[in-house]
Amino acid sequence: MSDREQQKINHNPLLKIESVSKTFGGVQALRNISFDLHSGLIQGLIGPNGAGKTTLFNLITGIYKPDDGRIIFDNQHIQGRQVHELVRIGIARTFQNVEIFGSMNVIENVMVGRHVRSKCGFWGAVTRVPWMVREEKNTFDNAMEILSFVGIEELAYRKSSELPFGWQRLLEIARALASNPKLLLLDEPAAGLNATETRQLGHLLKKICATGITLLLVEHDMSLTMEICDRIVVLDQGKKLAEGTPKEVQSDAAVMAAYLGVEG
Amino acid sequence: MTQDRIIYGIFFLVITAIGFAVENHYYLQLLTIIGINTLLALGLNMLMGYAGQISLGHAAFYGIGAYTTAILTVHYNINPWMSLPCALFLAVLVAVIVGLPTLKLTGYYLGMGTLGFGMIVHILFREWSSLTGGASGFVGIPPLEIGPISFFPARNYFYLVWFTVLISFVFCKRLIKSRMGRALRAIHDSENAAKAVGINTRNMKLEIFVFSAALSALSGFFYAHMVSFISPESFSFLVSVKIVTMVVIGGMASIWGSLLGASLLTMLPEWLHSFSDFEMVVYGLILMLVMIITPQGLTRGILDIYERSRTTKNKP
Ligand SMILES: Nc1ncnc2c1ncn2[C@@H]1O[C@H](COP(=O)(O)OP(=O)(O)OP(=O)(O)O)[C@@H](O)[C@H]1O
Ligand SMILES: [Mg+2]
């Protein structure tokens, strides 16, 4: 990339999706999607089942490569880069179907989340050099801090697979936070939570946003989405249907028709 | 941490005491073989038990360790302590070359891939007669010595092998309790989630595969210099399966399980001699029973029984 081009994208949004498309076999999961995500906001991504929300997450996190279009994160083109590299430059995620490390206890799960911010490898581990011992302690302290930030520090030594579902969701968020992300992608974090848990989740997401982390949130729970999101993008059958503040989106006739099932 | 130290201390004392107490050379050699098999099982357990990647070809690395040192010391008159790094290096090199493509596979496919690799290496040992002595084997591998200390007497060799086992245990335990160990277990639990937290799963799997291969080669080195005669049959597919069985019977993801599994599978044939013709049947039955009663392996099974007896005792 030339310097001029680099200049042009400086001071741009944290994440820029530019005419991204993706097909699976015959299914066009995403067609020509573009939108920006600015630092420090909570942005919602909503749409009916099969709209392509998870697919978009998989493109941003590098699991799939877009067929077409560009994804720019923090002034770097990231389409086609490896998943683990993208975590290193600041993109973390949670999964629609919670994926925690079931054989480990809670604190270990969060310590794994710290992987990209630590570097002890094979030789460091076997020789137990002082810097490695220090790093290990930092990893532990940091994981503890995150657990208490999320509010589950008393679960630190519980086996993660034995936790109730709601806590597993929080654990997954804690693990994602451990990588010090700039951007956190949450795929239906409220699914399976009861009303109280959902409300608490809403507070937590705002608290995360307040620490300077930008959030992109896929969520079916409309009251949560409308309450905490600064902006919302609506997808339907792989196309972008609308974009705007929660108010604007709610009053959009096309959204009403396609998504909320209300005839405009 | 301190608890670990105490356990290693006890282990050290046990090794020393056994070395002192056992006079019979045959038993000392049998115990040494157990030590060698423990190294093998430990190596595979790091790969299989912790990282969750199966290998049905580990006898190949065992054989590479044994044949490399045999060829270098006999054909080229190289000091065994110089041939050891060569053997380890060759095993590492082969592990990288084989691991890069095969570790992309998962589950059954990885099993098939490593199985094929093990068979190819076995055929090489058998057919490359000019170098390996072919099917009739390789004789005259020199014993180990350091200056005036010879490891030819069974007792010295016993100590050499078992203190190596002790050191390997310490290293493996450290590895497991590190950032890398956590990453390996993460891969075992969910490779997708492991990637999503930023683990370079391909490199991580390769690293542990290589380490595992190196431990197997070390084991092969000790074996070759102990028995002084090796043949391809010691490194066949059946041996690969035996190593897997040691890990599974002893307990996956358990360092002490490797010791237990290796002991059981080495001793069992000795005990079963009296069954003569039915030896293999009884052998198979015992293994089946262990798996049915404690599917998590013996170590887990024993711990469970211990914990259960404690909780029932604590009840009023
Ligand atoms: N790996 C894949 N292979 C084939 N088709 C896929 C794959 N991933 C997604 N799809 C298809 O792409 C479309 C979009 O799916 P996606 O999972 O992105 O939807 P979603 O918006 O997350 O839906 P939901 O609300 O149900 O989670 C669907 O038709 C789906 O079947
Ligand atoms: Mg989805």
Side-chain angles (χ1 to χ4, degrees):
Chain A
M1 205 187 319
S2 77
D3 276 1
R4 265 251 302 287
E5 261 179 286
Q6 185 71 53
Q7 203 91 51
K8 228 163 52 187
I9 57 176
N10 273 347
H11 309 291
N12 270 3
L14 179 64
L15 180 74
K16 214 171 160 54
I17 310 281
E18 284 185 4
S19 8
V20 162
S21 298
K22 179 77 191 171
T23 27
F24 294 107
V27 183
Q28 179 116 38
L30 290 172
R31 51 189 103 181
N32 213 12
I33 302 293
S34 304
F35 66 86
D36 293 348
L37 177 48
H38 288 270
S39 273
L41 299 186
I42 303 183
Q43 178 141 330
L45 181 63
I46 63 172
N49 291 114
K53 306 175 298 284
T54 301
T55 303
L56 188 58
F57 271 23
N58 287 338
L59 293 180
I60 298 171
T61 54
I63 292 177
Y64 301 132
K65 203 174 148 46
D67 298 338
D68 215 349
R70 305 196 297 174
I71 304 174
I72 298 157
F73 172 76
D74 207 13
N75 303 326
Q76 306 170 49
H77 289 263
I78 61 167
Q79 69 275 14
R81 284 180 64 178
Q82 303 242 347
V83 181
H84 60 91
E85 287 174 33
L86 296 179
V87 182
R88 193 177 295 273
I89 64 171
I91 302 178
R93 77 171 295 177
T94 64
F95 290 89
Q96 187 167 348
N97 313 306
V98 180
E99 293 220 29
I100 51 170
F101 303 121
S103 73
M104 301 185 202
N105 61 27
V106 168
I107 185 85
E108 285 172 322
N109 263 273
V110 184
M111 287 170 83
V112 177
R114 192 93 192 133
H115 191 84
V116 292
R117 299 292 168 244
S118 45
K119 47 178 184 293
C120 173
F122 176 83
W123 294 109
V126 268
T127 53
R128 283 256 161 104
V129 283
W131 70 259
M132 180 263 156
V133 177
R134 257 197 319 274
E135 183 186 271
E136 187 73 5
K137 189 176 176 309
N138 284 342
T139 303
F140 177 85
D141 292 345
N142 182 275
M144 263 309 180
E145 249 168 61
I146 290 171
L147 280 182
S148 57
F149 178 84
V150 174
I152 53 172
E153 73 273 27
E154 72 279 12
L155 303 176
Y157 296 101
R158 290 274 294 276
K159 195 173 177 195
S160 61
S161 58
E162 287 160 6
L163 296 184
F165 191 70
W167 284 346
Q168 291 192 358
R169 283 239 183 256
L170 291 181
L171 172 57
E172 210 189 8
I173 294 174
R175 185 183 69 191
L177 289 175
S179 68
N180 281 359
K182 294 185 179 126
L183 172 65
L184 176 57
L185 309 174
L186 298 156
D187 203 346
E188 302 196 21
L193 302 190
N194 63 32
T196 329
E197 288 172 330
T198 305
R199 210 165 342 102
Q200 285 164 348
L201 178 75
H203 290 308
L204 175 63
L205 297 187
K206 280 187 179 161
K207 212 166 90 177
I208 293 171
C209 185
T211 66
I213 297 171
T214 309
L215 298 177
L216 183 58
L217 171 71
V218 166
E219 190 45 68
H220 280 303
D221 186 316
M222 275 310 117
S223 58
L224 177 70
T225 317
M226 296 301 163
E227 191 203 320
I228 68 169
C229 290
D230 300 295
R231 287 184 73 76
I232 291 176
V233 171
V234 187
L235 296 184
D236 181 31
Q237 292 175 26
K239 284 176 300 201
K240 186 169 94 174
L241 209 57
E243 181 181 0
T245 62
K247 268 225 173 64
E248 287 165 358
V249 167
Q250 266 172 314
S251 54
D252 189 302
V255 175
M256 285 294 134
Y259 184 56
L260 302 172
V262 181
E263 293 301 318
Chain B
M1 194 63 211
T2 46
Q3 195 196 350
D4 276 355
R5 291 229 171 113
I6 294 169
I7 293 174
Y8 295 137
I10 294 172
F11 190 36
F12 178 86
L13 292 178
V14 170
I15 294 171
T16 317
I18 292 179
F20 259 115
V22 179
E23 287 293 337
N24 184 318
H25 273 206
Y26 169 75
Y27 285 130
L28 276 172
Q29 276 181 344
L30 187 64
L31 288 168
T32 309
I33 293 282
I34 291 180
I36 288 172
N37 283 340
T38 302
L39 285 177
L40 268 179
L42 182 66
L44 186 62
N45 210 339
M46 296 303 289
L47 178 72
M48 228 173 94
Y50 290 98
Q53 310 298 310
I54 194 168
S55 166
L56 290 175
H58 251 50
F61 296 116
Y62 184 39
I64 287 172
Y67 272 102
T68 308
T69 193
I71 291 164
L72 289 180
T73 50
V74 175
H75 290 338
Y76 299 94
N77 256 323
I78 288 174
N79 183 305
W81 298 113
M82 294 305 293
S83 72
L84 174 61
C86 299
L88 295 181
F89 178 76
L90 187 63
V92 165
L93 190 70
V94 173
V96 171
I97 294 168
V98 171
L100 270 177
T102 44
L103 288 171
K104 284 195 186 129
L105 309 173
T106 52
Y108 302 123
Y109 302 102
L110 179 60
M112 294 305 284
T114 49
L115 177 89
F117 158 68
M119 288 185 158
I120 291 169
V121 173
H122 179 227
I123 291 171
L124 278 180
F125 291 154
R126 211 178 50 211
E127 303 301 328
W128 199 346
S129 316
S130 56
L131 208 57
T132 65
S136 51
F138 199 113
V139 284
I141 305 164
L144 295 177
E145 50 192 28
I146 302 179
I149 309 166
S150 165
F151 291 100
F152 180 63
R155 173 162 297 122
N156 288 359
Y157 213 91
F158 167 88
Y159 281 132
L160 177 67
V161 167
W162 277 98
F163 287 135
T164 308
V165 170
L166 174 63
I167 294 169
S168 308
F169 273 26
V170 175
F171 279 7
C172 287
K173 194 85 191 186
R174 286 181 169 191
L175 193 59
I176 292 155
K177 287 196 173 169
S178 73
R179 168 176 176 267
M180 182 170 166
R182 280 191 300 269
L184 293 173
R185 287 159 59 203
I187 293 173
H188 193 171
D189 282 356
S190 161
E191 192 157 345
N192 269 338
K195 278 188 187 146
V197 296
I199 295 168
N200 184 340
T201 53
R202 199 192 55 175
N203 282 4
M204 204 50 92
K205 287 195 278 187
L206 190 64
E207 272 181 51
I208 199 66
F209 188 65
V210 163
F211 174 64
S212 167
L215 262 183
S216 308
L218 176 64
S219 182
F221 170 85
F222 282 134
Y223 177 73
H225 288 286
M226 175 182 168
V227 297
S228 83
F229 163 79
I230 54 175
S231 75
E233 288 327 296
S234 305
F235 314 105
S236 68
F237 166 64
L238 284 178
V239 177
S240 292
V241 172
K242 194 167 143 187
I243 308 172
V244 173
T245 318
M246 287 178 197
V247 173
V248 176
I249 291 276
M252 298 251 271
S254 156
I255 279 182
W256 298 96
S258 308
L259 173 61
L260 202 61
S263 310
L264 194 73
L265 266 91
T266 316
M267 303 290 271
L268 218 54
E270 302 291 325
W271 291 332
L272 296 179
H273 271 327
S274 49
F275 290 93
S276 58
D277 283 351
F278 296 104
E279 188 187 319
M280 283 317 284
V281 178
V282 180
Y283 185 77
L285 269 178
I286 292 179
L287 298 188
M288 274 171 66
L289 278 179
V290 170
M291 286 329 289
I292 291 169
I293 299 169
T294 67
Q296 309 277 1
L298 273 177
T299 322
R300 195 63 250 166
I302 292 169
L303 284 177
D304 281 349
I305 293 167
Y306 168 72
E307 274 160 19
R308 226 176 294 146
S309 72
R310 233 180 30 169
T311 45
T312 43
K313 231 184 272 165
N314 287 349
K315 272 183 196 144

